[in-house]
Coordinates of all heavy atoms in Angstrom, one line a residue:
V220 N -7.8 81.1 -34.6 CA -7.6 82.6 -34.6 C -7.0 82.9 -36.1 O -5.9 82.4 -36.4 CB -6.6 83.0 -33.5 CG1 -6.6 84.6 -33.5 CG2 -7.0 82.5 -32.2
W221 N -7.6 83.8 -36.8 CA -7.1 84.1 -38.1 C -6.8 85.6 -38.1 O -7.7 86.5 -38.0 CB -8.2 83.8 -39.2 CG -7.7 84.0 -40.6 CD1 -6.4 84.4 -41.1 CD2 -8.5 83.8 -41.8 NE1 -6.4 84.4 -42.4 CE2 -7.7 84.1 -42.9 CE3 -9.8 83.4 -42.0 CZ2 -8.1 84.0 -44.2 CZ3 -10.3 83.4 -43.3 CH2 -9.5 83.7 -44.4
Y222 N -5.5 85.9 -38.2 CA -5.1 87.3 -38.2 C -5.0 87.8 -39.7 O -4.4 87.2 -40.5 CB -3.6 87.5 -37.6 CG -3.6 87.1 -36.2 CD1 -3.0 85.9 -35.8 CD2 -4.1 87.9 -35.2 CE1 -2.9 85.5 -34.4 CE2 -4.1 87.6 -33.9 CZ -3.5 86.4 -33.5 OH -3.4 86.0 -32.1
R223 N -5.7 89.0 -39.9 CA -5.8 89.5 -41.3 C -5.5 91.0 -41.3 O -6.1 91.7 -40.5 CB -7.2 89.2 -41.8 CG -7.8 87.9 -41.7 CD -8.8 87.6 -42.8 NE -8.1 87.6 -44.0 CZ -8.8 87.8 -45.2 NH1 -10.0 88.0 -45.2 NH2 -8.0 87.7 -46.3
P224 N -4.7 91.5 -42.2 CA -4.4 92.9 -42.2 C -5.7 93.7 -42.5 O -6.6 93.2 -43.3 CB -3.4 93.1 -43.4 CG -2.9 91.7 -43.8 CD -4.0 90.8 -43.2
A225 N -5.8 94.9 -42.0 CA -7.0 95.7 -42.2 C -6.5 97.1 -42.0 O -6.2 97.5 -40.8 CB -8.2 95.3 -41.3
D226 N -6.4 97.9 -43.0 CA -6.1 99.4 -42.8 C -7.3 100.1 -42.1 O -8.3 99.5 -41.9 CB -5.6 100.0 -44.1 CG -6.7 100.0 -45.2 OD1 -7.8 99.7 -44.8 OD2 -6.4 100.2 -46.4
K227 N -7.0 101.4 -41.7 CA -8.0 102.0 -40.9 C -9.4 102.1 -41.6 O -10.5 101.8 -41.0 CB -7.5 103.4 -40.4 CG -6.5 103.1 -39.3 CD -6.3 104.3 -38.5 CE -5.4 103.9 -37.3 NZ -4.7 105.0 -36.7
P228 N -9.5 102.4 -42.9 CA -10.8 102.4 -43.6 C -11.5 101.0 -43.5 O -12.7 100.9 -43.3 CB -10.5 102.9 -45.0 CG -9.2 103.6 -45.0 CD -8.4 103.0 -43.8
T229 N -10.6 100.0 -43.7 CA -11.2 98.6 -43.7 C -11.7 98.3 -42.3 O -12.8 97.7 -42.1 CB -10.1 97.6 -44.1 OG1 -9.6 98.0 -45.4 CG2 -10.7 96.2 -44.2
L230 N -11.0 98.7 -41.3 CA -11.3 98.5 -39.9 C -12.7 99.2 -39.6 O -13.6 98.6 -39.0 CB -10.3 99.0 -38.9 CG -10.7 98.8 -37.5 CD1 -10.6 97.3 -37.1 CD2 -9.7 99.6 -36.6
A231 N -12.8 100.4 -40.1 CA -14.1 101.2 -39.9 C -15.2 100.4 -40.5 O -16.3 100.3 -39.9 CB -14.0 102.5 -40.5
R232 N -15.0 99.8 -41.6 CA -16.1 99.0 -42.3 C -16.4 97.7 -41.5 O -17.6 97.3 -41.2 CB -15.6 98.6 -43.7 CG -16.7 98.0 -44.6 CD -16.2 98.0 -46.0 NE -15.0 97.4 -46.3 CZ -14.7 96.1 -46.2 NH1 -15.7 95.2 -46.0 NH2 -13.5 95.6 -46.5
L233 N -15.3 97.1 -41.0 CA -15.5 95.8 -40.2 C -16.2 96.0 -38.9 O -16.9 95.2 -38.3 CB -14.2 95.1 -39.9 CG -13.3 94.6 -41.1 CD1 -12.0 94.2 -40.7 CD2 -14.1 93.4 -41.7
L234 N -16.1 97.3 -38.3 CA -16.7 97.6 -37.1 C -18.1 98.2 -37.3 O -18.6 98.7 -36.3 CB -15.8 98.5 -36.3 CG -14.4 98.0 -35.8 CD1 -13.7 99.0 -35.0 CD2 -14.6 96.7 -35.0
T235 N -18.6 98.2 -38.5 CA -19.9 98.8 -38.7 C -21.0 97.7 -38.7 O -20.8 96.7 -39.4 CB -19.9 99.5 -40.1 OG1 -18.9 100.6 -40.0 CG2 -21.2 100.2 -40.3
D236 N -22.0 97.9 -37.9 CA -23.0 96.8 -37.8 C -24.1 96.9 -38.9 O -24.0 97.8 -39.8 CB -23.7 96.8 -36.4 CG -24.5 98.1 -36.2 OD1 -25.0 98.7 -37.1 OD2 -24.6 98.4 -34.9
A237 N -25.0 96.0 -39.0 CA -26.0 95.9 -40.1 C -26.8 97.2 -40.2 O -27.4 97.5 -41.3 CB -26.8 94.7 -39.9
R238 N -27.0 97.9 -39.1 CA -27.8 99.2 -39.1 C -27.0 100.3 -39.6 O -27.5 101.5 -39.6 CB -28.3 99.4 -37.8 CG -29.4 98.4 -37.4 CD -29.9 98.8 -36.0 NE -31.2 98.0 -35.7 CZ -31.9 98.2 -34.7 NH1 -31.5 99.1 -33.8 NH2 -33.0 97.5 -34.5
G239 N -25.7 100.1 -39.9 CA -24.8 101.2 -40.3 C -24.2 102.0 -39.2 O -23.5 103.0 -39.3
H240 N -24.3 101.5 -37.9 CA -23.7 102.1 -36.8 C -22.2 101.7 -36.7 O -21.9 100.5 -36.6 CB -24.4 101.8 -35.5 CG -23.8 102.3 -34.3 ND1 -23.7 103.7 -34.0 CD2 -23.1 101.7 -33.3 CE1 -23.0 103.9 -32.9 NE2 -22.6 102.7 -32.4
R241 N -21.3 102.6 -36.6 CA -19.9 102.4 -36.5 C -19.4 102.2 -35.0 O -19.6 103.2 -34.3 CB -19.1 103.5 -37.2 CG -17.7 103.7 -36.9 CD -16.8 102.7 -37.5 NE -15.6 102.5 -36.7 CZ -14.5 103.2 -36.7 NH1 -14.4 104.2 -37.4 NH2 -13.5 102.9 -35.8
H242 N -19.0 101.1 -34.7 CA -18.5 100.9 -33.3 C -17.1 101.3 -33.1 O -16.3 101.2 -34.0 CB -18.7 99.4 -32.8 CG -20.2 99.0 -32.9 ND1 -20.9 98.9 -31.8 CD2 -21.0 98.7 -33.9 CE1 -22.2 98.5 -32.0 NE2 -22.2 98.4 -33.4
D243 N -16.8 101.7 -31.8 CA -15.5 102.2 -31.5 C -14.7 101.1 -30.9 O -15.3 100.3 -30.1 CB -15.7 103.4 -30.5 CG -14.4 104.1 -30.3 OD1 -13.6 104.2 -31.2 OD2 -14.2 104.5 -29.1
I244 N -13.5 100.8 -31.2 CA -12.5 99.9 -30.6 C -12.9 98.4 -31.0 O -12.1 97.7 -31.5 CB -12.4 100.1 -29.1 CG1 -11.8 101.5 -28.9 CG2 -11.4 99.0 -28.5 CD1 -11.4 101.8 -27.4
S245 N -14.2 98.0 -30.7 CA -14.6 96.6 -31.0 C -16.0 96.6 -31.3 O -16.8 97.4 -30.9 CB -14.2 95.6 -29.9 OG -14.9 95.9 -28.8
I246 N -16.5 95.5 -32.0 CA -17.9 95.3 -32.3 C -18.5 94.1 -31.5 O -17.8 93.0 -31.5 CB -18.1 95.2 -33.8 CG1 -19.7 95.0 -34.1 CG2 -17.4 94.1 -34.4 CD1 -19.9 95.2 -35.6
P247 N -19.6 94.2 -30.8 CA -20.1 93.0 -30.1 C -20.4 91.9 -31.1 O -21.0 92.1 -32.2 CB -21.5 93.6 -29.4 CG -21.3 95.0 -29.4 CD -20.4 95.4 -30.6
P248 N -20.0 90.6 -30.7 CA -20.1 89.6 -31.7 C -21.5 89.4 -32.4 O -21.6 89.2 -33.6 CB -19.8 88.3 -30.9 CG -18.8 88.9 -29.9 CD -19.3 90.3 -29.5
P249 N -22.6 89.6 -31.6 CA -23.9 89.4 -32.3 C -24.2 90.5 -33.3 O -25.1 90.2 -34.2 CB -24.9 89.5 -31.1 CG -24.2 89.4 -29.9 CD -22.7 89.8 -30.2
L250 N -23.5 91.6 -33.3 CA -23.8 92.6 -34.2 C -23.0 92.6 -35.5 O -23.1 93.4 -36.4 CB -23.6 94.0 -33.5 CG -24.5 94.3 -32.4 CD1 -24.3 95.7 -31.7 CD2 -26.0 94.1 -32.7

Side-chain angles (χ1 to χ4, degrees):
V220 188
W221 187 2
Y222 296 107
R223 311 209 66 204
D226 58 17
K227 286 199 172 153
T229 307
L230 178 68
R232 189 167 53 73
L233 293 173
L234 295 182
T235 302
D236 65 26
R238 293 182 166 182
H240 175 68
R241 158 78 211 275
H242 295 259
D243 190 31
I244 300 188
S245 63
I246 178 168
L250 298 185

